[in-house]
Amino acid sequence: MGYEGFSIVGDSDFLKEQIRRAAQKTALRNAITEDMVLAFTLFEAYLEHAYATGNIPDDHLKIIRNVHREFDGEAKRALSDRFSESNLKMKLMNNEMENFIKGFHVGG
């Protein structure tokens, strides 16, 4: 009768289960990361393609020129002021959108 060493019954099953669970956690973490990267890429593409207000200020300037040519007096002044205000608001919105898109790229 010799000493055969210390043995825990079923410890190989325990280790196999731990390895399996660690592999599942790693696979889940990788899948979540891939999903987040895909969502980031899709949202980034959406922002770049949905950003379609860049030419509106130019269109407003054309309209203002036409207003100056076709109207006179108070109507001309009122329409010019209104389109000028809209043009300024659109330029500010464009700047904010460009800054948002640039800030969004930081995460990627």
Side-chain angles (χ1 to χ4, degrees):
M1 274 193 160
Y3 177 72
E4 295 182 16
F6 183 74
S7 174
I8 297 178
V9 176
D11 71 326
S12 65
D13 290 338
F14 173 77
L15 290 176
K16 287 178 187 176
E17 181 65 19
Q18 291 301 318
I19 291 170
R20 186 185 67 78
R21 290 179 76 193
Q24 284 180 335
K25 286 181 182 179
T26 301
L28 179 61
R29 188 175 293 116
N30 290 341
I32 290 171
T33 301
E34 288 172 9
D35 288 347
M36 289 175 64
V37 168
L38 177 62
F40 175 87
T41 304
L42 290 174
F43 188 61
E44 183 178 42
Y46 168 76
L47 286 176
E48 289 175 0
H49 293 291
Y51 175 56
T53 61
N55 64 345
I56 291 175
D58 295 333
D59 293 339
H60 276 195
L61 291 176
K62 290 176 189 174
I63 293 170
I64 289 172
R65 278 190 228 113
N66 289 336
V67 165
H68 283 281
R69 192 176 52 223
E70 301 295 329
F71 292 91
D72 63 347
E74 287 187 38
K76 176 180 169 180
R77 187 172 54 245
L79 288 170
S80 294
D81 290 347
R82 180 68 179 246
F83 276 103
S84 295
E85 289 172 12
S86 295
N87 195 31
L88 179 62
K89 288 178 184 178
M90 189 61 65
K91 285 181 180 179
L92 292 173
M93 190 192 77
N94 285 340
N95 288 340
E96 288 179 15
M97 187 66 163
E98 287 174 8
N99 288 336
F100 177 74
I101 291 172
K102 287 176 186 173
F104 187 73
H105 286 288
V106 172

